[in-house]
Amino acid sequence: MRFLLVEDTAKLARSVRDLLALDGHGVDTVASLAEAGDCLAATSYDLILLDIGLPDGDGRAFLAQQRRQGRDTPVIMITARSAVADRVDALDGGADDYVTKPFEMAELEARIRAVLRRRGGATQTRRDFADVTFDPLAATLTVAGETRELRSRELRLFEILIAAPGRIHSKEHLCDRLFSYAEAVSDNAIEVYVGRLRRKLQGSAARIETVRGLGYRLIGP
């Protein structure tokens, strides 16, 4: 998954970015609404983490503008304001959820999972395909009764593939979903992760097919 974090407190932004990166997500971090607008104009995101108080404006007004423009990306507001009225304003303005500073990182992770489940933006429950069982919360694939662990980026890549079996995903699209702008990604990065997943799928009727010149897709027997 690829997330946009809009937060002007540098220490908090680094902590959240590093946490989500450990989970295999690509995270673009910006400190202003102007930068957030530039990012949203350049690419799409699976989730936005949006601070309310930013140097160049109010995150709630920015969110309302995005909703008026038809952008329905899930948004979790980050706020230092604990008043009920502030939280109600955020939710009424189009936010999917909110966290109040200071917050525990475990709570943020749980809220992200919940929002993505509700909005259908990620595979968050066990799923069967062919003779494979995929459990994203446990980060495992089970093939013929044998459980195989997935590393973070392998997990996120398989989430994309199993969400749309048979659909061809180009390398460019997969890179866009898995990596942030700040990450230096080599041309063969996706090939490396696909190769690792293929090894994890050995012995299964499910396989990742290379469609020459187009990309990859997950297919069954």
Side-chain angles (χ1 to χ4, degrees):
M1 302 286 108
R2 186 163 180 180
F3 298 163
L4 176 62
L5 171 61
V6 190
E7 169 60 60
D8 64 325
T9 303
K11 184 177 180 180
L12 176 60
R14 284 194 301 271
S15 297
V16 173
R17 180 199 63 201
D18 292 347
L19 172 77
L20 297 176
L22 283 174
D23 287 338
H25 300 294
V27 185
D28 291 323
T29 304
V30 297
S32 69
L33 297 176
E35 292 173 298
D38 291 341
C39 287
L40 290 169
T43 191
S44 61
Y45 291 91
D46 299 291
L47 179 79
I48 300 171
L49 299 165
L50 178 62
D51 192 9
I52 285 182
L54 290 155
D56 57 345
D58 190 310
R60 291 170 297 184
F62 179 81
L63 173 58
Q65 179 188 46
Q66 297 303 309
R67 295 297 190 232
R68 287 194 299 271
Q69 294 174 354
R71 184 172 281 113
D72 63 353
T73 306
V75 173
I76 296 177
M77 302 297 294
I78 300 173
T79 176
R81 305 172 186 179
S82 58
V84 172
D86 290 319
R87 300 198 297 269
V88 169
D89 284 347
L91 294 170
D92 284 345
D96 294 86
D97 203 349
Y98 63 87
V99 289
T100 304
K101 300 177 185 177
F103 53 82
E104 295 292 335
M105 291 299 175
E107 178 190 1
L108 178 62
E109 288 183 297
R111 289 184 179 276
I112 288 171
R113 290 193 297 268
V115 166
L116 292 176
R117 280 199 303 270
R118 291 199 300 267
R119 296 293 293 265
T123 302
Q124 293 290 335
T125 57
R126 290 180 59 175
R127 183 164 180 172
D128 295 319
F129 178 78
D131 56 354
V132 173
T133 297
F134 172 55
D135 188 338
L137 295 182
T140 59
L141 291 175
T142 302
V143 178
E146 180 185 347
T147 298
R148 302 167 185 182
E149 294 184 357
L150 299 175
R151 295 183 179 180
S152 55
R153 283 271 159 74
E154 295 167 0
L155 168 65
R156 301 309 167 195
L157 176 56
F158 199 73
E159 275 188 328
I160 295 169
L161 296 173
I162 201 172
R167 179 185 297 174
I168 299 172
H169 300 272
S170 69
K171 283 185 181 181
E172 291 77 12
H173 169 74
L174 294 174
C175 279
D176 184 68
R177 303 327 306 154
L178 292 174
F179 301 100
S180 68
Y181 287 124
E183 293 176 279
V185 182
S186 64
D187 291 340
N188 68 344
I190 296 300
E191 294 176 16
V192 170
Y193 289 113
V194 167
R196 291 178 182 176
L197 280 178
R198 282 173 170 159
R199 289 192 289 275
K200 300 288 175 70
L201 289 169
Q202 283 181 353
S204 165
R207 62 190 180 92
I208 301 172
E209 179 184 55
T210 299
V211 182
R212 189 176 297 276
L214 296 177
Y216 303 97
R217 62 183 174 187
L218 180 67
I219 59 173

